[in-house]
Amino acid sequence: NANKDGGPKSKLAEIKLSYDKDGWTRTIRATDMKFQWTRFDTDGNVDTRNRFDTERSAYVRKLDWEADDDRMRKGRVSLVTPDKGVVDSKIKSANGTDLVTFQDIATAQNKNYEDKIQWFQDTCAQLCVEWNEGHMRMNVRRDYLLSDSMEAVMSLSRKDLRKVWRFEFIGEAGIDAGGLAREWFELVTEEVFDPDMGLWQTSATNQMCMQINPASEISCPDDHLIYFRFIGRVMGKAMFDRQLVKGHMVKHMYKHILGWPIMFNDLKDIDEEYYNSLKGLKDLGADLEYVGIDFTATEETLGVKQTVELIPNGADVDVTQENLPEYIEACLKYRMLGRYEAQVNELLLGFFDVIPEPLLTIFDFQELELLMCGLPSIEMEDWKKHTEYSGEYDRDGPNHDVCVWFWEVVSEYDQELKARLLQFVTGTSGVPAKGFGSLQGNDGNVRKFTVHGVTLETCVYPRSHTCFNRIDLPLYEEKEELEEKLKIAITMASTGFDIE
């Protein structure tokens, strides 16, 4: 009997993956041993609210597999309430035996970042097809890199994707001992993420972050979805082969890959103005009916405006005080997935052609970005030189005691913590090619990294405003307190935990 002490079912209670996302926790479902998201209310009971709430409600993407074809699986992505977003908790090896169990995942998830990566890479190595069982030669022409690569990668079966790939640039001498592979991943992902290609566009909030172009079909009318499937496979293969991707995505894309809860405040990172306007509707009360909005959104492509219905017959439904929560919910779902649902669908299908989804449950979205894009090389002098000071630090700037402590503390950080501080303040670990002097804000103007002084009455912990690349740093009285509070703020950011 599995229920005896020490049996699998009694261990379930212990398996709560340690990250806690806005109160959501991943737990094991006893009925089928799958991971699911659960939220507990303040009394410790499972929270079962139904109506959309901007502070509490969340959605996770769910991928329903429709046909299990060895070469091209079909599936459909949707946003569901977190309790329905389940993930397998074990992985089988090629011969059908259990390679990873839920206990392994729970143990790995509690490791530090470097040990997690090691565990992830060791597991991928066990999933890799043996060299003598077959390996793939990728012959591509440099002048037709993208089209050749896409044709090659899209012709492969899922098993081929886990074989060793060897690259050859046709007409060039060069044995691929790893250097050509690194170059191929770099060139292909750089080209795919180039906004001129039309598949991705820079995010409104940060020029280092790419978001899917909702109008990608216009740029690549014949094959834009095949490209997204290709991108997904290349990203997955890069992770599988310990290679890097030349392109940082907006935060919610990493959450979609991980199947993490998306909440109303995630909108703020893509479009703060839109987020604030939706929030403002709540303050209108009964006057909302005079604003004259319905359940539609407007898309503008190449100067042509198009109305999109957010619910069936949305143009005929006026937004009122009564149905406002449903309207905000519909807007959130549209902006987070609906606008580019077909593209996200293909990208995820491609990604999971290579990486088994349960393996990703050990990472948070910041760790996933660092793993896919690599730790940035951060030049401390350049960072300090291009930092501005405001608020309480306006007058003394870098000479203010607290700012001196801040830089002393940050200089002591390892690469990972420096990268997490960047993620916390600017929304991405990416540093512009020309350095910190060319950091842009959401209006396209240069918005330098800013340390803004606030009193301890305003907030106890540092806060960030990613659209302004600004950190609010309280006037601490001692360096030790700054060190402790800053580290908590940076490391808690990925759990979505609001410290105030």
Side-chain angles (χ1 to χ4, degrees):
N1 181 355
N3 279 335
K4 284 197 176 131
D5 286 345
K9 290 280 163 74
S10 73
K11 287 206 173 72
L12 294 188
E14 299 160 29
I15 300 210
K16 256 179 35 176
L17 296 193
S18 70
Y19 44 61
D20 182 340
K21 168 82 188 101
D22 296 305
W24 293 99
T25 309
R26 255 194 176 139
T27 53
I28 281 274
R29 193 161 69 177
T31 49
D32 56 7
M33 310 296 275
K34 290 191 176 189
F35 283 122
Q36 69 168 9
W37 291 98
T38 311
R39 184 167 51 195
F40 300 94
D41 61 21
T42 41
D43 303 325
N45 301 315
V46 173
D47 190 344
T48 52
R49 75 185 58 228
N50 293 325
R51 192 115 194 247
F52 183 77
D53 178 305
T54 51
E55 305 300 319
R56 305 273 299 168
S57 294
Y59 285 96
V60 302
R61 65 101 192 121
K62 180 170 186 258
L63 202 51
D64 288 306
W65 298 100
E66 288 167 357
D68 199 10
D69 177 333
D70 180 52
R71 205 176 68 77
M72 287 286 276
R73 288 191 292 181
K74 288 192 169 64
R76 182 136 190 272
V77 72
S78 59
L79 283 178
V80 295
T81 50
D83 54 302
K84 296 193 178 78
V86 295
V87 178
D88 280 330
S89 64
K90 59 172 183 279
I91 297 165
K92 292 197 181 299
S93 61
N95 63 8
T97 55
D98 280 358
L99 182 66
V100 172
T101 66
F102 62 81
Q103 195 77 54
D104 297 330
I105 290 175
T107 307
Q109 197 269 324
N110 283 309
K111 295 176 187 286
N112 66 28
Y113 175 65
E114 284 194 344
D115 291 345
K116 274 186 187 180
I117 292 182
Q118 191 58 53
W119 180 85
F120 176 81
Q121 292 176 340
D122 290 347
T123 310
C124 286
Q126 290 177 275
L127 289 164
C128 187
V129 177
E130 296 277 339
W131 173 265
N132 51 15
E133 231 188 282
H135 46 273
M136 308 308 301
R137 292 211 70 82
M138 310 292 269
N139 298 329
V140 292
R141 296 168 295 179
R142 199 176 279 275
D143 292 349
Y144 302 94
L145 179 72
L146 211 51
S147 51
D148 281 5
S149 299
M150 186 167 89
E151 238 164 80
V153 170
M154 294 313 292
S155 68
L156 301 179
S157 70
R158 278 160 39 215
K159 186 175 178 181
D160 293 337
L161 294 171
R162 290 185 184 171
K163 288 179 179 170
V164 177
W165 290 4
R166 283 284 176 260
F167 292 88
E168 186 184 318
F169 288 98
I170 294 171
E172 295 178 25
I175 304 297
D176 183 15
L180 291 181
R182 189 162 60 243
E183 186 182 8
W184 181 83
F185 278 104
E186 189 171 309
L187 292 173
V188 163
T189 52
E190 203 165 25
E191 203 168 322
V192 149
F193 278 114
D194 184 342
D196 292 343
M197 173 93 192
L199 297 170
W200 297 79
Q201 54 190 176
T202 52
S203 122
T205 331
N206 187 323
Q207 97 273 24
M208 287 301 297
C209 273
M210 304 309 292
Q211 63 185 16
I212 290 175
N213 177 6
S216 59
E217 188 173 4
I218 291 171
S219 314
C220 305
D222 301 330
D223 48 15
H224 77 125
L225 291 181
I226 304 172
Y227 266 113
F228 281 102
R229 182 68 167 245
F230 165 72
I231 294 165
R233 286 183 158 196
V234 171
M235 282 179 177
K237 182 63 173 165
M239 269 180 85
F240 196 80
D241 284 0
R242 311 180 187 198
Q243 298 288 354
L244 298 177
V245 168
K246 280 287 276 205
H248 295 259
M249 297 183 289
V250 284
K251 192 161 77 182
H252 70 277
M253 280 304 299
Y254 294 109
K255 291 186 176 182
H256 281 332
I257 291 174
L258 293 176
W260 268 49
I262 298 266
M263 298 183 71
F264 179 60
N265 58 11
D266 282 302
L267 255 186
K268 197 165 154 188
D269 293 321
I270 333 181
D271 190 336
E272 181 140 16
E273 208 177 310
Y274 183 64
Y275 167 83
N276 286 331
S277 69
L278 285 178
K279 238 176 130 169
L281 296 177
K282 291 164 71 173
D283 303 329
L284 290 175
D287 292 342
L288 181 61
E289 289 160 45
Y290 302 117
V291 180
I293 43 179
D294 52 31
F295 276 70
T296 61
T298 306
E299 285 290 353
E300 189 173 325
T301 313
L302 303 179
V304 179
K305 287 190 173 167
Q306 193 185 355
T307 301
V308 179
E309 298 200 322
L310 299 174
I311 57 170
N313 305 319
D316 303 329
V317 182
D318 290 331
V319 177
T320 63
Q321 194 177 358
E322 176 50 39
N323 65 19
L324 180 61
E326 284 68 32
Y327 173 69
I328 294 177
E329 176 181 37
C331 291
L332 174 68
K333 285 174 130 175
Y334 180 66
R335 289 300 285 264
M336 287 298 177
L337 182 66
R339 280 183 94 178
Y340 23 70
E341 186 177 313
Q343 293 94 317
V344 172
N345 196 54
E346 292 304 313
L347 185 139
L348 292 174
L349 289 173
F351 193 89
F352 295 127
D353 277 344
V354 192
I355 302 280
E357 194 177 354
L359 272 190
L360 295 175
T361 55
I362 69 168
F363 297 114
D364 64 40
F365 57 87
Q366 289 184 327
E367 290 169 335
L368 185 64
E369 180 184 17
L370 296 180
L371 179 57
M372 288 173 79
C373 303
L375 289 172
S377 62
I378 295 169
E379 185 53 64
M380 283 308 295
E381 287 312 308
D382 178 56
W383 192 353
K384 279 155 96 164
K385 183 176 143 193
H386 293 293
T387 292
E388 291 177 351
Y389 300 86
S390 58
E392 300 286 337
Y393 305 137
D394 189 27
R395 209 181 52 180
D396 297 337
N399 302 321
H400 192 289
D401 281 351
V402 179
C403 297
V404 171
W405 295 337
F406 173 77
W407 289 115
E408 283 174 359
V409 167
V410 174
S411 299
E412 293 286 301
Y413 281 174
D414 61 13
Q415 288 292 78
E416 185 208 334
L417 264 180
K418 283 176 186 160
R420 281 189 179 251
L421 172 61
L422 270 185
Q423 287 175 320
F424 178 61
V425 181
T426 69
T428 172
S429 58
V431 181
K434 295 187 182 129
F436 284 91
S438 54
L439 211 57
Q440 290 177 352
N442 56 3
D443 49 9
N445 296 325
V446 169
R447 285 261 172 91
K448 291 191 176 171
F449 188 91
T450 304
V451 181
H452 181 77
V454 293
T455 60
L456 277 160
E457 285 77 64
T458 315
C459 60
V460 183
Y461 288 90
R463 284 189 308 212
S464 64
H465 303 271
T466 47
C467 44
F468 303 122
N469 297 326
R470 184 180 105 197
I471 182 170
D472 289 354
L473 189 66
L475 288 161
Y476 294 117
E477 285 162 18
E478 289 170 2
K479 180 179 170 182
E480 289 69 30
E481 191 184 5
L482 180 148
E483 190 167 8
E484 178 203 358
K485 298 283 199 291
L486 180 63
K487 188 161 182 188
I488 291 174
I490 296 170
T491 47
M492 293 304 280
S494 67
T495 63
F497 177 70
D498 190 5
I499 311 169
E500 292 309 316

